[in-house]
Amino acid sequence: MNGDNKIDFAKQRIIDLRRIIENHNYNYYILANPSISDYDFDMLLNELIALEKEYPEFITPDSPTQRVGGDITKEFKTVKHRYPMLSLSNSYSVSEIKDFITRIEKSIEGDVDFVCELKYDGVSISLTYEDGLLIRAVTRGDGTQGDDVTTNIKTIKSIPLKLNGNYPDIFEMRGEIIMPHNSFSTINKEREDLGLQVFANPRNAAAGTIKLQDSKEVAKRKLDSFCYFMMMDEGKMPFKNHYESLIAAKKWGFNISNFMAICKNVDEIEEFINYWDENRKNLPFDIDGIVIKVNNFEQRDLLGFTAKSPRWAIAYKFKAEEAYTKLISVDFQVGRHGTITPVANLEPVQLAGTTVKRATLHNSDFIDQLDLHYNDIVCVEKGGEIIPKIVSVDRSKREKTSKKVVFIDKCPECGSKLIKAEGETAWYCPNNQGCPPQIKGRIEHFIGRKAMNIESLGEGKIEVLFDNRLIRNYSDLYDLTYDKLFGLEKIITNESVDNISSENTIRKISFKEKTAKNIIEAIEKSKSVPFSRVLFALGIKYVGETTAKLIANSMESIDNVIAATTEELMEIDEVGEKIAISIKDFFSNEENIHIINKLRSIGLQFDQCKRQKGENQILLGKNIVVSGVFSSMSRDEIKQLIEDLGGKNVSSISSKTSFVLAGEKMGPEKRKKAEALNIEILTEADFLEMIKK
Ligand code: IVH
């Protein structure tokens, strides 16, 4: 194949792959009917990623590869809404819904149909499509203007980047960004592990996520969406009613719930409400009510709007599910970073389909606010939250002799006096080197999949090793031998606060021949884990996987991290004062330095593997965008050369770009942008001449 043919072939394959991938996405995310295995899907996506890497001039904003994220938004642009984003009037009783319907029937002649829909508990979004392409996604903001969060929204798989079929040229789609329960639990577990405050409910988590600066992080959090309202300029709407518009929108690629119904009267509406009040607990995401909308667009126009909301729609809000039960006792749990979390043990009670017997009490302030006493009858609520919370105490039922719940002042595990950091609500056990749950928690973190990935060891086995005094910190793992492990065993009882409804589990942990052998092998293998993951594995408070990577890339070795000042650390992307101080605290602890030195002598990676830098650093401080194909070298070779000469490869053109290195077939959009920003465009020959100097 000659050069031109090869490029034409690649271009066609890119187009085909995009169509095939988006079609599988549609089957999976919209129709909930997967048409390919995850493995085969990944193979197609990887092929597309590789082709787009080789031919970046063919990358388009609607390519499924854009969904993996990567672009950073430093500040979200404020955008005025073309049509204001109004809210709905709320009602809490069916009688208010009856009033709403009577009002409408009085002002409209003839029959009125209503569409009942789920009221998704998330963050509302306005999506603008032009010629079938998603061009903008904006948050509600104050209703008149919101934040442009397009880059982040593009990572959500159920939001179409490109529409199919017979869609209007320009229109807006309104919908809700939600965080499904499984994504929510995964994220909170990770946050708890990192010593970060957990999200109170999926709505807060969704709101926090769409405002993250790093779209790659957004992509990881697996948000979802539902659309419920199409908007166009007056007189342009090609449908007679709302229901038809949503059915068409589903065909174009939007996620439209199957759970909507046309209702003709209050009885049918009430039936829909009652059904979902009972069955919402079975949904994999939160809803907080039902939205009732007039179906016919002409009738909607006749009804019009109040200043804040349409007269043709109303939201029925569910009451949070609650139950009364007795507080038996309070446990104080110690986390990996020493944080003390009080947990209420309750008399088991049925709530929203599960048996609740534990509820988090958050911190000491929360206990004080409730004025909680032992044996109190407490009201437990399960609203948007997954973990039930105690919302009130029935004081009339308090026994005269009952004792007030007092927050402990000593660690329940090691007896150290607890401390409270300034401005924080949580109490800590400061004995981080001697307190068993902190030690075990740190070792569990160290062996984790994203850290040292020491397979075959887990929470239970760590406990056995700890009890047998074989490990006191994570560096002791490297002193383990087959003989020390073989034959160890213990019966373990487990109970976790997240899993409120589960019974205690009993497990037997035993180190048989194969287990012991596997553990020793995995520990040995971990010595080649790269520096960024070792840095993450150390378990520095607030230093997650991504931050560790950024620090490792920027500092290049543990010695540089240890020597860096707080200010120097804060120069690293995503490292703020809180993280920088936490890093300094960690390395000012002698015991930590001692452990690091031991790990270093064992052979763990404490330097970032980098190619040797050349002496010629002619491109130092230059941000360079490489675009197109080159005759003297491959794109990857050119990029490597730029790095060796001290330059930095950046993916998109901005005012900070030093120059664009343009090969054959540079993308026209890139050229336009470079010209608009007055950025120099160098040819391959110019570049080679420049570096020769
Ligand atoms: S229709 C003119 N339908 O509830 C208002 N809203 O309090 C059009 N919401 O801001 C909104 N599910 O964020 C509509 N099926 C649904 C909804 C829904 C959730 C949210 C939306 C809106 C808020 C109104």
Side-chain angles (χ1 to χ4, degrees), residues 605-623:
Q605 306 297 313
F606 281 110
D607 287 290
Q608 183 85 324
C609 272
K610 270 220 147 186
R611 268 171 66 115
Q612 215 52 44
K613 273 195 188 135
E615 275 184 13
N616 180 350
Q617 292 286 287
I618 189 172
L619 299 179
L620 199 67
K622 299 237 184 296
N623 295 326

Side-chain angles (χ1 to χ4, degrees), residues 558-604:
I558 195 85
D559 290 329
N560 290 343
V561 182
I562 296 172
T565 61
T566 317
E567 289 71 28
E568 282 164 347
L569 290 167
M570 281 166 66
E571 277 168 23
I572 304 169
D573 199 16
E574 287 196 20
V575 176
E577 193 178 6
K578 194 161 137 182
I579 302 181
I581 291 176
S582 165
I583 297 171
K584 289 277 3 143
D585 279 355
F586 184 90
F587 291 112
S588 58
N589 182 315
E590 263 179 42
E591 180 68 19
N592 287 337
I593 297 290
H594 175 74
I595 292 173
I596 287 166
N597 287 339
K598 178 172 165 193
L599 291 174
R600 197 200 297 257
S601 68
I602 287 162
L604 266 67

Side-chain angles (χ1 to χ4, degrees), residues 388-437:
K389 57 179 182 191
I390 295 181
V391 282
S392 62
V393 171
D394 185 348
R395 289 191 194 192
S396 68
K397 298 218 169 75
R398 180 172 291 163
E399 296 157 17
K400 277 209 177 82
T401 52
S402 68
K403 285 206 183 92
K404 195 171 156 57
V405 175
V406 182
F407 204 86
I408 47 172
D409 58 1
K410 291 206 182 73
C411 174
E413 302 279 345
C414 71
S416 303
K417 194 159 169 37
L418 301 182
I419 54 165
K420 198 176 197 178
E422 210 186 292
E424 287 195 24
T425 39
W427 285 93
Y428 292 93
C429 164
N431 180 19
N432 51 7
Q433 303 297 339
C435 181

Side-chain angles (χ1 to χ4, degrees), residues 86-88 117-120 124 176 228-229 291 293 310:
L86 302 176
S87 62
L88 295 171
E117 294 166 17
L118 305 183
K119 187 172 186 309
Y120 311 98
S124 46
E176 203 84 351
Y228 44 64
F229 190 25
V291 181
K293 301 172 181 171

Side-chain angles (χ1 to χ4, degrees), residues 84-90 116-125 140 174-178 226-229 231 242 246 287-293 300 305 308-310 312-315 317:
M85 284 184 85
L86 302 176
S87 62
L88 295 171
S89 50
N90 287 330
C116 287
E117 294 166 17
L118 305 183
K119 187 172 186 309
Y120 311 98
D121 198 5
V123 185
S124 46
I125 195 84
R140 182 172 187 278
R174 298 269 165 93
E176 203 84 351
I177 305 299
I178 55 155
F226 281 103
C227 288
Y228 44 64
F229 190 25
M231 301 199 76
H242 174 68
L246 293 189
I287 60 170
D288 60 343
I290 297 296
V291 181
I292 301 131
K293 301 172 181 171
R300 282 191 185 186
F305 294 83
K308 281 201 222 132
S309 50
W312 42 261
I314 193 164
K317 297 269 278 214

Side-chain angles (χ1 to χ4, degrees), residues 350-585:
Q350 283 298 313
L351 179 62
T354 51
T355 310
V356 172
K357 48 183 189 167
R358 278 157 84 78
T360 174
L361 289 167
H362 305 291
N363 49 48
S364 62
D365 292 357
F366 188 77
I367 294 178
D368 289 346
Q369 277 156 22
L370 286 175
D371 182 32
L372 198 61
H373 283 55
Y374 292 101
N375 294 330
D376 266 353
I377 299 299
V378 294
C379 176
V380 199
E381 190 177 86
K382 209 167 172 193
E385 293 74 20
I386 292 203
I387 302 174
K389 57 179 182 191
I390 295 181
V391 282
S392 62
V393 171
D394 185 348
R395 289 191 194 192
S396 68
K397 298 218 169 75
R398 180 172 291 163
E399 296 157 17
K400 277 209 177 82
T401 52
S402 68
K403 285 206 183 92
K404 195 171 156 57
V405 175
V406 182
F407 204 86
I408 47 172
D409 58 1
K410 291 206 182 73
C411 174
E413 302 279 345
C414 71
S416 303
K417 194 159 169 37
L418 301 182
I419 54 165
K420 198 176 197 178
E422 210 186 292
E424 287 195 24
T425 39
W427 285 93
Y428 292 93
C429 164
N431 180 19
N432 51 7
Q433 303 297 339
C435 181
Q438 294 190 56
I439 298 173
K440 284 186 273 184
R442 276 198 300 273
I443 302 175
E444 279 156 24
H445 171 79
F446 185 84
I447 61 163
R449 195 170 49 82
K450 292 178 178 169
M452 303 305 283
N453 192 20
I454 303 182
E455 300 154 29
S456 351
L457 266 183
E459 202 179 319
K461 293 201 178 72
I462 296 290
E463 188 158 331
V464 180
L465 298 178
F466 185 83
D467 289 353
N468 283 278
R469 305 188 145 269
L470 288 170
I471 48 173
R472 275 290 168 271
N473 63 59
Y474 37 64
S475 73
D476 295 338
L477 290 171
Y478 296 88
D479 298 332
L480 295 173
T481 59
Y482 176 86
D483 290 340
K484 285 184 189 170
L485 296 181
F486 181 70
L488 294 173
E489 62 175 33
K490 187 185 175 184
I491 308 279
I492 292 200
T493 320
N494 256 347
E495 188 168 10
S496 98
V497 64
D498 309 23
N499 203 347
I500 295 140
S501 56
S502 81
E503 295 303 316
N504 292 357
T505 54
I506 296 177
R507 288 182 298 146
K508 182 174 173 188
I509 308 276
S510 48
F511 290 71
K512 300 207 176 96
E513 193 181 324
K514 193 154 185 279
T515 317
K517 206 168 136 258
N518 287 346
I519 293 172
I520 298 297
E521 269 172 22
I523 291 175
E524 191 54 35
K525 214 164 109 192
S526 75
K527 291 182 186 168
S528 55
V529 162
F531 172 48
S532 62
R533 274 171 50 196
V534 177
L535 189 61
F536 171 60
L538 296 180
I540 306 169
K541 197 170 179 183
Y542 309 128
V543 177
E545 197 196 350
T546 315
T547 315
K549 233 181 241 164
L550 292 168
I551 298 172
N553 282 340
S554 161
M555 292 272 153
E556 299 186 359
S557 75
I558 195 85
D559 290 329
N560 290 343
V561 182
I562 296 172
T565 61
T566 317
E567 289 71 28
E568 282 164 347
L569 290 167
M570 281 166 66
E571 277 168 23
I572 304 169
D573 199 16
E574 287 196 20
V575 176
E577 193 178 6
K578 194 161 137 182
I579 302 181
I581 291 176
S582 165
I583 297 171
K584 289 277 3 143
D585 279 355

